[in-house]
C-alpha cells in the first residue's frame, strides 16, 4: 500500500482501518482511498482477510494414563464485515486461539483411552472447531477448518505398541505355520496309508496269480501224464523254480556271493520244508 498527498492504496484481500482524531471511522475496502490528514484522518493499520493456519502442539494424557502430544492445525480468517472487531478487540489472535485449543483438547482426550483417541480424532477436531467458532466469532474471526494432524505417544509407548503388534502377528504366523504342517503331515500319512494299501493289494493279487498258475499246472500235468500224483507234480515244480532261482543268481551283475546248499538231496530237503510249512499252516488254521 502506498500513501502520498492524502491518497492511499489498499491491496486485494486486505482491508484498512481509518481513524479520525484517534477514533475509529471506517473500514476501507481494496482500492484507492483519500485520507486527508489535515482533517484529522489517519490510517490505523491493515487487516489481512486471507486464511491463516496455526499449528499447535498440546501435551496431555489419556484415560489409561499415557502422555501424548496432540498436533492440531487451525485454519482461520478475519471477517470483512467485522473487521473493526478483529482489529481492535484482540491484541494476540494466535495466543487466544491456542488457549481455546489447549482447553478443549485437555478436556476431551483424558476421557478417552489411547486406542480410542486415535479412532476418534475427527470427534476431537469437531469439538475444538465448535468451541473456537463460538468464541472467535465474537471477535470478528471465522474458523474455516480444524484438524487433528497427529497424536504422538511417548517413544517408549510407541515401541511397546509396535512390540505388541509384532508379537500378535508372529503368533498368528506361528498358528498358520503349525496348521500348514499339520495338514502336510495328515496328507503324507494318508498318502503312505494309501500306498501301503495298494501295495498290499498288488502282493495279494500276485500271490493269488501264483497259486492259480500252480493249480492249473498241477491239474494239466495230472491229466496229460497218467499215473502221476499231485505230490510228484509239486516236486517237479519246486525243482524247476529252484533251478530258475540259481540261474538268476548266476546271471546277476552284482558282486555279491550267496552260499546255498546244492546237491541231489538239497531239492528234496527244500520240498520237504515247504510241505511241512503248508501242513503246519493248515493245522493252525483248523485249530
Amino acid at each position: 500500500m502506498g500513501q502520498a498527498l492524502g491518497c492511499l492504496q489498499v491491496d486485494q484481500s486486505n482491508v484498512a482501518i481509518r481513524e479520525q482524531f484517534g477514533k475509529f471511522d471506517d473500514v476501507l475496502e481494496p482500492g484507492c482511498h483519500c485520507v486527508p490528514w489535515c482533517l484529522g484522518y489517519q490510517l490505523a493499520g491493515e487487516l489481512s482477510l486471507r486464511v491463516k493456519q496455526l499449528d499447535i502442539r498440546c501435551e496431555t494424557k489419556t484415560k489409561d494414563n499415557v502422555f501424548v502430544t496432540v498436533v492440531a492445525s487451525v485454519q482461520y480468517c478475519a471477517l470483512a464485515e467485522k473487521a473493526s472487531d478483529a482489529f481492535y478487540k484482540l491484541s494476540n489472535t494466535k495466543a487466544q486461539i491456542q488457549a481455546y485449543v489447549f482447553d478443549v483438547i485437555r478436556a476431551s482426550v483424558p476421557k478417552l483411552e489411547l486406542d480410542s483417541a486415535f479412532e476418534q480424532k475427527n470427534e476431537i477436531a469437531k469439538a475444538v472447531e465448535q468451541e473456537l467458532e463460538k468464541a472467535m466469532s465474537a471477535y470478528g474471526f471465522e474458523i474455516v477448518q480444524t484438524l487433528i494432524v497427529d497424536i504422538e505417544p511417548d517413544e517408549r509407548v510407541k515401541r511397546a505398541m509396535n512390540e505388541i503388534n509384532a508379537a500378535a502377528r508372529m503368533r498368528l504366523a506361528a498358528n498358520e505355520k503349525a496348521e500348514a504342517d499339520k495338514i502336510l503331515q495328515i496328507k503324507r500319512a494318508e498318502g503312505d496309508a494309501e500306498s501301503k494299501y495298494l501295495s498290499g493289494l498288488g502282493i495279494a493279487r500276485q500271490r493269488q496269480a501264483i497259486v492259480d498258475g500252480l493249480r492249473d499246472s498241477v491239474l494239466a500235468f495230472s491229466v496229460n501224464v497218467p499215473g502221476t500224483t499231485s505230490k510228484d507234480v509239486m516236486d517237479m515244480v519246486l525243482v524247476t523254480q529252484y533251478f530258475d532261482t540259481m540261474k538268476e543268481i548266476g546271471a546277476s551283475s552284482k558282486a555279491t556271493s550267496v552260499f546255498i546248499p546244492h546237491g541231489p538231496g538239497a531239492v528234496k530237503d527244500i520240498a520237504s520244508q515247504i510241505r511241512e510249512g503248508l501242513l503246519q499252516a493248515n493245522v493252525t488254521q483248523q485249530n
Side-chain angles (χ1 to χ4, degrees), residues 150-170:
D150 196 9
I151 297 178
E152 301 175 355
D154 183 79
E155 188 63 31
R156 291 172 297 178
V157 176
K158 289 196 289 186
R159 191 181 305 115
M161 293 173 65
N162 291 333
E163 290 176 356
I164 292 173
N165 196 332
R169 293 181 181 274
M170 290 179 63

Side-chain angles (χ1 to χ4, degrees), residues 228-247:
T228 57
T229 62
S230 299
K231 176 180 177 302
D232 297 332
V233 177
M234 183 60 68
D235 289 341
M236 186 189 69
V237 171
L238 291 175
V239 170
T240 301
Q241 291 184 346
Y242 177 77
F243 281 108
D244 288 341
T245 302
M246 294 294 294
K247 180 179 178 181

Side-chain angles (χ1 to χ4, degrees), residues 66-137:
V66 177
F67 281 90
V68 296
T69 300
V70 180
V71 182
S73 291
V74 180
Q75 298 173 356
Y76 66 98
C77 65
L79 297 173
E81 60 273 16
K82 295 184 178 181
S84 60
D85 292 337
F87 186 82
Y88 287 106
K89 286 187 176 182
L90 289 181
S91 60
N92 192 336
T93 306
K94 293 183 178 180
Q96 186 81 3
I97 293 176
Q98 181 173 327
Y100 279 109
V101 172
F102 278 9
D103 181 66
V104 176
I105 289 178
R106 287 174 177 168
S108 301
V109 175
K111 299 177 182 179
L112 304 172
E113 294 184 352
L114 181 60
D115 294 338
S116 299
F118 279 101
E119 295 172 359
Q120 300 184 27
K121 285 171 55 178
N122 292 336
E123 285 73 9
I124 298 173
K126 288 180 181 178
V128 173
E129 183 175 350
Q130 291 174 359
E131 184 67 22
L132 284 176
E133 185 69 30
K134 182 173 60 176
M136 299 304 295
S137 61

Side-chain angles (χ1 to χ4, degrees), residues 248-256:
E248 291 178 0
I249 293 174
S252 177
S253 60
K254 295 181 180 180
T256 302

Side-chain angles (χ1 to χ4, degrees), residues 5-255:
L5 300 178
C7 294
L8 60 88
Q9 174 184 315
V10 180
D11 296 333
Q12 185 65 34
S13 299
N14 290 334
V15 292
I17 305 299
R18 187 176 66 182
E19 296 178 346
Q20 185 179 22
F21 298 111
K23 181 181 179 181
F24 170 73
D25 179 66
D26 194 11
V27 176
L28 303 181
E29 301 289 338
C32 185
H33 300 274
C34 181
V35 182
W37 57 269
C38 59
L39 298 179
Y41 290 100
Q42 65 177 358
L43 185 68
E46 287 189 356
L47 183 66
S48 174
L49 301 181
R50 292 188 178 95
V51 176
K52 302 182 181 66
Q53 177 168 310
L54 177 62
D55 295 325
I56 302 170
R57 299 177 64 88
C58 176
E59 185 177 4
T60 183
K61 73 172 184 176
T62 61
K63 186 177 180 180
D64 46 353
N65 294 324
V66 177
F67 281 90
V68 296
T69 300
V70 180
V71 182
S73 291
V74 180
Q75 298 173 356
Y76 66 98
C77 65
L79 297 173
E81 60 273 16
K82 295 184 178 181
S84 60
D85 292 337
F87 186 82
Y88 287 106
K89 286 187 176 182
L90 289 181
S91 60
N92 192 336
T93 306
K94 293 183 178 180
Q96 186 81 3
I97 293 176
Q98 181 173 327
Y100 279 109
V101 172
F102 278 9
D103 181 66
V104 176
I105 289 178
R106 287 174 177 168
S108 301
V109 175
K111 299 177 182 179
L112 304 172
E113 294 184 352
L114 181 60
D115 294 338
S116 299
F118 279 101
E119 295 172 359
Q120 300 184 27
K121 285 171 55 178
N122 292 336
E123 285 73 9
I124 298 173
K126 288 180 181 178
V128 173
E129 183 175 350
Q130 291 174 359
E131 184 67 22
L132 284 176
E133 185 69 30
K134 182 173 60 176
M136 299 304 295
S137 61
Y139 299 108
F141 286 92
E142 177 188 5
I143 304 301
V144 178
Q145 186 67 270
T146 302
L147 303 173
I148 300 299
V149 179
D150 196 9
I151 297 178
E152 301 175 355
D154 183 79
E155 188 63 31
R156 291 172 297 178
V157 176
K158 289 196 289 186
R159 191 181 305 115
M161 293 173 65
N162 291 333
E163 290 176 356
I164 292 173
N165 196 332
R169 293 181 181 274
M170 290 179 63
R171 182 169 62 252
L172 180 60
N175 291 336
E176 294 295 333
K177 185 176 182 300
E179 189 67 22
D181 292 341
K182 176 184 175 181
I183 295 174
L184 184 62
Q185 292 179 3
I186 291 174
K187 293 299 182 183
R188 188 183 294 115
E190 290 178 352
D192 187 50
E194 186 69 17
S195 175
K196 290 181 179 179
Y197 173 73
L198 295 176
S199 177
L201 288 178
I203 294 174
R205 290 174 181 175
Q206 179 186 15
R207 291 177 178 175
Q208 184 64 39
I210 293 174
V211 171
D212 293 341
L214 289 175
R215 184 182 64 250
D216 294 341
S217 298
V218 170
L219 292 175
F221 197 88
S222 299
V223 173
N224 294 328
V225 182
T228 57
T229 62
S230 299
K231 176 180 177 302
D232 297 332
V233 177
M234 183 60 68
D235 289 341
M236 186 189 69
V237 171
L238 291 175
V239 170
T240 301
Q241 291 184 346
Y242 177 77
F243 281 108
D244 288 341
T245 302
M246 294 294 294
K247 180 179 178 181
E248 291 178 0
I249 293 174
S252 177
S253 60
K254 295 181 180 180

